[in-house]
Amino acid sequence: MTLTFEPAPGVMAPTTTGGSFPVRRLFCIGRNYAAHAREMGKDPDREPPFFFTGWAETVVPDGSVIAYPQATADYQHEIELVIAIGKSGRDVSEDEALGLVYGYAIGLDMTRRDLQTVAKDAGRPWDTGKNVEQSKPLGPIQPAAGFDASKGAITLSINGQLKQKGDLADMIWSVPEVVAHISRYYRLEPGDLIYTGTPAGVGPVLMGDVLVGAIDGLGELTVTIGTEAN
């Protein structure tokens, strides 16, 4: 078979063991911290978690310079715990969910907030606000053994100034609950990443800003906001 063009190479995320994790799909949980739900003008009462999907190619590694995207005047940061799936499963129970997890990482879900707001107000999908090139920076993935995803500080600083601060214990939906819920709609496969939501304190970034995200037990993730995308 003759290809009409050369396919793009697959996205590989580094691991703390020195290997590479082939990224397949992204699932992103919305409003999983009560304080963030409130700052977005929503009721944080416990309801079934909702999620949206993203392209693997939005993932970029620690240390990247990411372009400020076009068509927005309000590009915002969201620091998140990321679950890396290592085994296949559909309709798994919460007790079985952690058996699908390969490991965890620090992630950012960068958001064109103005475009997301327009979409929400119109009852339309969030793709233009969320599924944006270079919008999902990801730190090295640490194998699950030895990491407690149920608690631990999660923070985001810009140019040395603390902007977001929370604890994984504040998540409305825990890691097992999130994994089990998504598996009811899709067969989770090795390479899938789940971004689990962000604590309060989201806000805009500017070109030249240096963002440092941290989660206890996972280290730090650093990215710089570059010039506007061409």
Side-chain angles (χ1 to χ4, degrees):
M1 180 183 295
T2 301
L3 298 176
T4 56
F5 56 87
E6 287 299 316
V11 176
M12 299 291 172
T15 69
T16 58
T17 61
S20 295
F21 181 92
V23 178
R24 186 171 185 267
R25 298 176 297 185
L26 274 60
F27 299 93
C28 305
I29 304 297
R31 296 194 292 268
N32 201 19
Y33 290 76
H36 173 59
R38 292 189 187 97
E39 73 179 352
M40 293 290 101
K42 301 298 180 180
D43 186 340
D45 285 348
R46 184 180 168 93
E47 298 175 353
F50 74 91
F51 59 90
F52 52 93
T53 58
W55 300 325
E57 63 203 64
T58 61
V59 173
V60 294
D62 179 36
S64 293
V65 177
I66 63 174
Y68 194 101
Q70 68 271 37
T72 184
D74 190 13
Y75 201 40
Q76 295 198 3
H77 56 81
E78 298 187 9
I79 183 70
E80 311 204 2
L81 172 71
V82 180
I83 307 165
I85 299 297
K87 293 183 180 179
S88 177
R90 183 196 297 277
D91 288 324
V92 301
S93 68
E94 292 172 22
D95 290 339
E96 298 169 321
L98 292 182
L100 273 57
V101 176
Y102 167 77
Y104 300 93
I106 306 169
L108 281 167
D109 175 19
M110 303 298 296
T111 303
R112 290 192 284 207
R113 190 72 69 199
D114 42 3
L115 300 190
Q116 183 197 24
T117 299
V118 169
K120 287 195 296 185
D121 290 347
R124 296 172 180 166
W126 294 3
D127 298 77
T128 56
K130 288 287 191 179
N131 204 11
V132 181
E133 291 93 336
Q134 301 183 322
S135 65
K136 303 294 185 288
L138 185 73
I141 300 171
Q142 177 174 306
F147 177 73
D148 184 357
S150 69
K151 60 183 179 180
I154 175 171
T155 62
L156 188 283
S157 297
I158 299 180
N159 304 327
Q161 185 175 13
L162 184 65
K163 297 293 185 178
Q164 289 184 262
K165 182 179 181 180
D167 196 286
L168 301 180
D170 298 331
M171 287 198 294
I172 298 170
W173 292 91
S174 68
V175 168
E177 290 173 321
V178 163
V179 172
H181 181 76
I182 294 175
S183 79
R184 296 183 192 123
Y185 298 90
Y186 298 92
R187 177 179 292 280
L188 288 169
E189 299 286 1
D192 290 341
L193 297 175
I194 302 173
Y195 283 64
T196 60
T198 194
V202 300
V205 299
L206 301 172
M207 285 180 270
D209 282 347
V210 177
L211 282 59
V212 179
I215 296 176
D216 282 353
L218 295 179
E220 294 183 345
L221 165 68
T222 301
V223 297
T224 301
I225 307 300
T227 56
E228 190 168 5
N230 293 323

